[in-house]
Every structure is written in structure tokens, then in C-alpha cells.
Amino acid sequence: MLNQQVPESIAAAVDAILKPYGINAASLTNPKPADDEQRYLTIEAAEKYCGISRWTFGRAVKSGKLPQIKLSAARSGKILLDRRDLDKWLNAMKKRKAVSYTAADIAERLNSNQPIEVK
């Protein structure tokens, strides 16, 4: 995008056209950073960023694995998550060994008295 000054007469005309729609021309030239540039994310933005449900975030926060920023003491207060904390938490999840068994595996282990590892 070119960083040129817009003549005042043109800026005033654009503002007049956009005013009925509640849009300020200055907001179009200086937009908010995209979600992928923001450091702090709402739960909804974090859901899109990670592809994880809000309930998973809630469990991680409650267990102390993911810090949160609560903007109000009210139960329904807005919660923000730091993108860096999310990335650290996701990387820790990557390193964790997942253990899963099929029903046939469990039956075989039970019949042979092998322990079933639960994490």
C-alpha cells in the first residue's frame, strides 16, 4: 500500500459518503492488525487460531497449564489468552506421548494379564 497523503477535500468527501454507514475513512487506512498479528486473543479467536474448542481451553486454564487474562472479576468477564502461551502449550502437547488402545487391544491385554497404560 502506498503511504501518500490524501488531499483534505478528498478525505472530507469520502468521510461524508461513509458517515451514514458508521465508517470513518481513517479506520480504513489504519486497520486493526489481523488476528494472526495480535498478541492477545479472545477465546473465539483462539478457537480459530488453534482449531480447539473453548471447553479444551477451559480445562487447560483450570488445570494451570494455560494462563489466562481475565478482564473482569465477574463470572462472565472477558478472557484473553496470550498467543505465546498458546504456542508453548500446543508445543508441549506435541511432545506428549499419546496412548490409545482399540477394544481388541484391551481384550487381548486383559486376557494375557498385561498392564494397560493409562495417562
Side-chain angles (χ1 to χ4, degrees), residues 2-103:
L2 297 176
N3 289 330
Q4 296 179 338
Q5 285 287 5
V6 177
E8 283 188 39
S9 60
I10 293 175
V14 170
D15 274 334
I17 293 169
L18 297 176
K19 187 175 183 178
Y21 302 101
I23 300 172
N24 181 350
S27 68
L28 298 175
T29 57
N30 298 320
K32 284 179 67 177
D35 280 345
D36 60 341
E37 297 172 2
Q38 291 181 341
R39 178 172 172 193
Y40 298 103
L41 303 174
T42 62
I43 296 294
E44 293 80 17
E47 282 180 289
K48 290 178 187 174
Y49 177 67
C50 299
I52 297 174
S53 76
R54 67 177 49 250
W55 302 107
T56 304
F57 291 126
R59 287 191 301 270
V61 167
K62 191 173 182 178
S63 68
K65 295 177 183 174
L66 183 62
Q68 71 175 353
I69 301 165
K70 189 150 186 185
L71 299 179
S72 169
R75 185 170 188 254
S76 61
K78 189 171 189 172
I79 294 173
L80 298 177
L81 300 172
D82 189 329
R83 180 185 300 275
R84 290 183 277 181
D85 292 334
L86 281 171
D87 291 337
K88 286 180 196 173
W89 178 66
L90 288 171
N91 285 329
M93 298 288 282
K94 247 195 296 193
K95 295 174 185 172
R96 196 173 72 177
K97 180 183 174 187
V99 178
S100 62
Y101 297 104
T102 65

